[in-house]
């Protein structure tokens, strides 16, 4: 359900997250040394930001406060956030604005296509806010954006990180008809934590979306991601891995949850690098073609090189 976005509120956090404004504060734990990153200062970072601004685009890198923005933008890897910067949901972990979104920008797909061409991307990730207010959840807008990229940059591979399209019948079919190279949808956390962490979503509906994408394009790749540090346990993560493999998912990412503000879900604990390495080994043993697991792993982190490895892994698996 959409929440009216109060632009008159004095506290910027209240304006950005009106649904969280009256929650009690949660203490923000000090980050361990292995999570610290440098502030973005490179010339390439500034050039990437300039191209994004020129085409009036949003990026999840900025809206979600990704810790890897300096590294990725220095390499011209920006993850485009389509359908606006305001989400109709209020997930407890997410830093994207919540409220009543504006109408879709009909020029956005072409603007994204032009930006991808200027950045010279070999692989691009397109994601979006949740748009529960739209009849198809924004599926046709995703399809139009994929089409625009195919037109301006025919050699670029396209990865889409979609919402769950909950109760939007036929939406995933529309997206898959546009032939993305990778269909990504993040489960985010374990089923037990959905009501508190991802209350607008349903675990098995998300699983079914991934399964349906694979049914529609068996030759394509499907991908999903998890955060750790929200209170899950190792056994629950193992079960999610099994569920994803049953749904035919090829690629799993696992990263550390970082608390955006005192109004967001608290970090239960920071997993150590050795624990991420163990999760990666277990996931590979369960049959995932590709696994990326580290404290700073995010869905689109190193997506271009990971996609190349993913394709190579499939070739190796059938030879």
């Amino acid at each position: 359900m959409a929440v009216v976005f109060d632009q008159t509120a004095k506290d910027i956090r209240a304006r950005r997250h009106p649904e969280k404004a009256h929650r009690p504060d949660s203490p923000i734990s000090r980050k361990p040394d292995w999570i610290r990153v440098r502030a973005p200062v490179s010339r390439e970072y500034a050039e990437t930001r300039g191209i994004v601004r020129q085409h009036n685009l949003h990026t999840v890198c900025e809206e979600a406060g990704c810790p890897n923005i300096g590294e990725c933008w220095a390499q011209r890897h920006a993850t485009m956030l389509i359908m606006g910067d305001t989400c109709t949901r209020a997930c407890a972990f997410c830093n994207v604005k919540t409220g009543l979104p504006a109408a879709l920008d009909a020029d956005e797909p072409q603007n994204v296509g032009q930006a991808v061409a200027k950045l010279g991307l070999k692989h691009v990730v397109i994601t979006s806010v949740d748009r529960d207010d739209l009849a198809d959840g924004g599926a046709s807008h995703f399809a139009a954006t994929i089409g625009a990229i195919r037109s301006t940059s025919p050699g670029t591979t396209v990865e889409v990180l979609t919402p769950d399209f909950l109760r939007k019948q036929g939406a995933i079919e529309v997206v898959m008809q546009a032939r993305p190279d990778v269909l990504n949808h993040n489960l985010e956390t374990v089923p037990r934590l959905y009501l508190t962490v991802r209350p607008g979503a349903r675990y098995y509906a998300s699983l079914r979306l991934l399964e349906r994408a694979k049914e529609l394009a068996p030759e394509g790749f499907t991908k999903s991601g998890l955060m750790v540090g929200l209170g899950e346990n190792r056994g629950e993560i193992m079960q999610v891995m099994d569920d994803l493999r049953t749904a035919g998912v090829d690629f799993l990412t696992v990263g550390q949850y970082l608390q955006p503000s005192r109004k967001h879900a608290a970090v239960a604990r920071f997993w150590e690098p050795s624990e991420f390495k163990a999760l990666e080994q277990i996931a590979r043993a369960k049959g995932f073609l590709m696994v990326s697991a580290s404290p700073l792993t995010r869905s689109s982190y190193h997506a271009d090189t990971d996609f190349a490895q993913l394709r190579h892994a499939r070739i190796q698996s059938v030879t």
Side-chain angles (χ1 to χ4, degrees):
M1 181 179 70
V3 181
V4 175
F5 197 56
D6 182 9
Q7 293 284 7
T8 66
K10 294 181 179 180
D11 186 342
I12 185 63
R13 290 172 300 178
R15 297 203 308 270
R16 190 173 182 87
H17 302 292
E19 81 296 338
K20 299 181 177 75
H22 301 294
R23 289 183 181 175
D25 287 356
S26 297
I28 298 180
S29 303
R30 185 176 185 274
K31 297 181 181 67
D33 290 341
W34 60 80
I35 287 182
R36 300 184 185 279
V37 294
R38 293 180 179 179
V41 294
S42 71
R43 183 190 65 188
E44 293 80 6
Y45 168 86
E47 290 173 351
T48 300
R49 183 176 60 183
I51 292 171
V52 168
R53 298 288 185 271
Q54 178 186 355
H55 292 280
N56 299 314
L57 300 175
H58 300 288
T59 67
V60 75
C61 321
E62 294 175 293
E63 298 300 332
C66 180
N68 303 313
I69 187 170
E71 177 186 348
C72 293
W73 282 29
Q75 300 174 31
R76 295 181 176 270
H77 298 157
T79 299
M80 307 299 176
L81 182 72
I82 62 174
M83 297 193 281
D85 64 350
T86 304
C87 187
T88 55
R89 297 193 190 174
C91 295
F93 62 86
C94 186
N95 200 39
V96 174
K97 285 188 278 189
T98 297
L100 186 63
L104 291 179
D105 178 1
D107 295 328
E108 185 175 53
Q110 192 59 37
N111 285 338
V112 170
Q114 292 172 359
V116 169
K118 286 187 178 181
L119 289 167
L121 299 181
K122 295 180 180 179
H123 183 82
V124 64
V125 182
I126 307 297
T127 189
S128 79
V129 291
D130 273 290
R131 291 297 302 259
D132 295 315
D133 58 312
L134 300 175
D136 69 349
S140 57
H141 204 73
F142 263 104
T145 303
I146 296 169
I149 295 168
R150 299 286 190 218
S151 177
T152 59
S153 303
T156 300
T157 50
V158 182
E159 178 175 331
V160 292
L161 172 54
T162 73
D164 58 10
F165 299 125
L166 189 63
R167 304 183 186 92
K168 307 295 183 182
Q169 189 171 0
I172 188 59
E173 285 77 6
V174 170
V175 174
M176 297 310 294
Q177 283 172 6
R179 298 180 297 105
D181 296 281
V182 182
L183 184 289
N184 185 359
H185 173 66
N186 289 333
L187 292 186
E188 306 290 11
T189 189
V190 301
R192 176 176 58 85
L193 297 177
Y194 259 54
L195 286 178
T196 54
V197 172
R198 202 177 173 217
R202 300 294 179 268
Y203 178 78
Y204 289 105
S206 286
L207 265 181
R208 177 54 185 156
L209 180 91
L210 290 160
E211 183 179 50
R212 181 62 178 150
K214 179 61 74 173
E215 291 171 354
L216 292 165
E219 73 288 352
F221 295 99
T222 51
K223 177 178 176 181
S224 190
L226 288 172
M227 297 175 292
V228 295
L230 284 160
E232 68 294 319
N233 62 51
R234 188 182 177 91
E236 290 174 313
I237 294 173
M238 301 302 103
Q239 184 60 59
V240 172
M241 288 183 185
D242 289 339
D243 291 343
L244 287 169
R245 288 300 302 129
T246 299
V249 171
D250 303 294
F251 186 175
L252 174 66
T253 62
V254 186
Q256 172 69 50
Y257 166 63
L258 300 176
Q259 184 180 351
S261 80
R262 294 183 181 276
K263 297 299 182 182
H264 289 79
V267 176
R269 79 176 180 94
F270 290 102
W271 287 53
E272 297 188 4
S274 60
E275 294 179 285
F276 283 97
K277 186 64 177 176
L279 289 177
E280 178 181 345
Q281 293 171 343
I282 292 168
R284 289 186 182 277
K286 288 180 179 293
F288 289 98
L289 285 177
M290 182 70 191
V291 183
S292 178
S294 74
L296 289 174
T297 289
R298 298 295 181 266
S299 290
S300 54
Y301 189 45
H302 294 166
D304 56 340
T305 53
D306 283 348
F307 179 68
Q309 293 180 47
L310 183 62
R311 286 199 292 196
H312 179 71
R314 173 171 287 175
I315 293 169
Q316 293 294 108
S317 70
V318 297
T319 57

